[in-house]
Amino acid sequence: MDITQTKYLIEHRPRRNRRTPALRSMVRETDLKPADFIYPLFVIEGEKKTEPINSMPGVSRFSLDLLVEEVKQAYDLGVPAVALFAAIDDSLKDEVATESHNPDGLMQRAIRTLKEKVPEVAVITDVAMDPFSSEGHDGYVEDGKILNDPTLEILAKMSVSQAEAGADMVAPSDMMDGRVGVIRQALDEAGFEETGILAYSAKYASSFYGPFREALDSAPRHGDKKTYQMDFANSREAVREVLLDIEEGADMVMVKPGMPYLDVIAKVREISTVPVAAYQVSGEYAMIEAVTANGWMDGEALMTETLTSIKRAGADMILTYFAKRMAERLQ
Ligand code: PBG
């Protein structure tokens, strides 16, 4: 074919802007920085102890002393915040998640220790019953049903107890109706009007949480979470959840999981008046590690591409198990 004879004159050449690394860096629309990340961490009892998590290669549960070291390292690399999850012994779990508001519980001690040893770092704490519940559900269970309003009382106690220990923000991940408003009121009444709320607003019932449930041994003992977490087929409903949480007092909202829900992140970003977080969850992490271990794809490249995609979609910040590694790479 004679290219000069084509009826399409090639007037437009977008490739010009991609010709050299310098040009590409000038036109790049999305840049990651260490301050974009929130580092989720699992804490266990004991001293000088790390426990690997089978389905999350490279991620461990840390005893408190080692948790402090890990957080220091991440903070020194520019990661401003951590999200804490406590893995407690089964013997401490009961139907009403009593241990979740024990002033000397593992979570509360972890918060106090971090605020003492690394006071600059923002400590964000998970508010939900599942890691403390003998049922493995985020809400109070009666006759196999998850009861909304009785759960709110427990979540409020848990939040106040975490705020007392020094949490900068509490992060309800339970998806009960009305919890943000109830938690806000409870915090204010207890004198914690400065403690923020990062609401897991659009949290989907997702298979991507599997490895996390192994990490905390928190899988539901029966049934699933579909009566409270959202149907992954829906996105308009995410807008409804986000608007409600903002109205009830959320300081930041979240979409979770991350990469399979980029459309939801983009939509939420359009309508939200508060910062939007996205959670690259355990299963997303595990998939990247699995293909890397098989030699099928380049893990470092996938880490950068997936995190950039989540930010490009509209996330102001990203919870990711790669937080420290990505921050290292960005130095
Ligand atoms: C518990 C909670 C879950 C995650 C964060 N908080 C699991 C669940 O809802 O079953 C998932 C995080 C991850 O998969 O990385 N309320």
Side-chain angles (χ1 to χ4, degrees):
M1 160 187 189
D2 180 357
I3 194 75
T4 60
Q5 295 306 306
T6 173
K7 61 181 175 146
Y8 301 109
L9 189 61
I10 305 175
E11 267 184 88
H12 300 287
R13 294 188 182 271
R15 286 186 56 196
R16 277 191 207 111
N17 286 348
R18 303 181 204 133
R19 193 170 51 84
T20 70
L23 290 164
R24 288 197 295 276
S25 77
M26 289 167 65
V27 301
R28 185 164 299 130
E29 298 174 34
T30 310
D31 275 307
L32 294 172
K33 58 182 191 305
D36 294 332
F37 306 125
I38 298 171
Y39 192 13
L41 288 161
F42 302 107
V43 56
I44 48 171
E45 292 287 1
E47 259 173 69
K48 298 253 164 300
K49 237 173 95 182
T50 58
E51 282 174 6
I53 299 156
N54 190 35
S55 52
M56 300 178 75
V59 175
S60 297
R61 310 175 188 89
F62 294 100
S63 60
L64 263 180
D65 48 344
L66 298 181
L67 178 80
V68 169
E69 292 315 306
E70 185 71 9
V71 172
K72 271 187 188 155
Q73 286 171 21
Y75 186 78
D76 287 343
L77 290 164
V79 176
V82 296
L84 284 188
F85 300 94
I88 67 164
D89 196 78
D90 261 353
S91 64
L92 293 171
K93 301 182 183 182
D94 63 18
E95 286 174 9
V96 287
T98 308
E99 185 64 13
S100 69
H101 46 88
N102 174 359
D104 292 313
L106 179 58
M107 178 67 116
Q108 287 76 2
R109 275 180 284 132
I111 301 166
R112 277 200 296 272
T113 307
L114 284 184
K115 290 316 291 187
E116 187 192 325
K117 306 271 167 124
V118 210
E120 312 82 15
V121 80
V123 174
I124 302 172
T125 49
D126 188 63
V127 176
M129 287 177 65
D130 53 332
F132 307 97
S133 153
S134 47
E135 305 282 333
H137 273 289
D138 297 34
Y140 177 67
V141 185
E142 209 173 81
D143 300 329
K145 277 183 88 174
I146 315 297
L147 302 188
N148 195 85
D149 299 8
T151 302
L152 299 182
E153 220 172 294
I154 297 167
L155 298 176
K157 275 193 211 165
M158 198 183 309
S159 303
V160 169
S161 154
Q162 293 172 351
E164 250 160 19
D168 292 282
M169 303 193 86
V170 297
S173 67
D174 55 287
M175 289 300 279
M176 295 300 123
D177 292 336
R179 90 271 208 218
V180 172
V182 167
I183 289 171
R184 184 68 271 157
Q185 189 181 338
L187 289 172
D188 289 352
E189 282 174 8
F192 296 110
E193 59 283 325
E194 289 192 340
T195 307
I197 299 177
L198 165 57
Y200 285 68
S201 301
K203 177 173 177 178
Y204 287 86
S206 170
S207 299
F208 285 95
Y209 307 151
F212 175 97
R213 293 177 188 170
E214 185 206 328
L216 292 188
D217 186 25
S218 62
R221 304 301 184 242
H222 53 80
D224 55 42
K225 299 193 173 186
K226 289 180 183 165
T227 67
Y228 46 108
Q229 298 179 348
M230 284 175 53
D231 183 343
F232 52 72
N234 297 351
S235 77
R236 243 185 303 148
E237 194 181 351
V239 173
R240 182 179 190 206
E241 288 283 6
V242 163
L243 291 176
L244 284 171
D245 283 356
I246 293 174
E247 193 182 306
E248 291 175 30
D251 299 284
M252 303 176 188
V253 293
M254 192 198 299
V255 175
K256 174 189 180 184
M259 204 166 70
Y261 297 82
L262 295 181
D263 58 323
V264 179
I265 296 172
K267 202 165 192 168
V268 164
R269 167 60 175 257
E270 288 284 311
I271 57 98
S272 178
T273 51
V274 301
V276 177
Y279 200 145
Q280 182 181 53
V281 299
S282 57
E284 297 176 71
Y285 175 88
M287 287 201 308
I288 292 174
E289 287 303 313
V291 294
T292 307
N294 272 296
W296 293 343
M297 286 196 250
D298 174 347
E300 289 286 300
L302 286 172
M303 167 176 82
T304 308
E305 183 175 339
T306 54
L307 291 170
T308 304
S309 302
I310 291 170
K311 186 167 178 188
R312 188 199 62 229
D316 296 294
M317 61 210 122
I318 306 169
L319 291 92
T320 173
Y321 301 96
F322 288 121
K324 188 176 138 195
R325 258 157 77 187
M326 191 66 225
E328 234 155 29
R329 200 186 152 108
L330 290 167
Q331 299 302 304

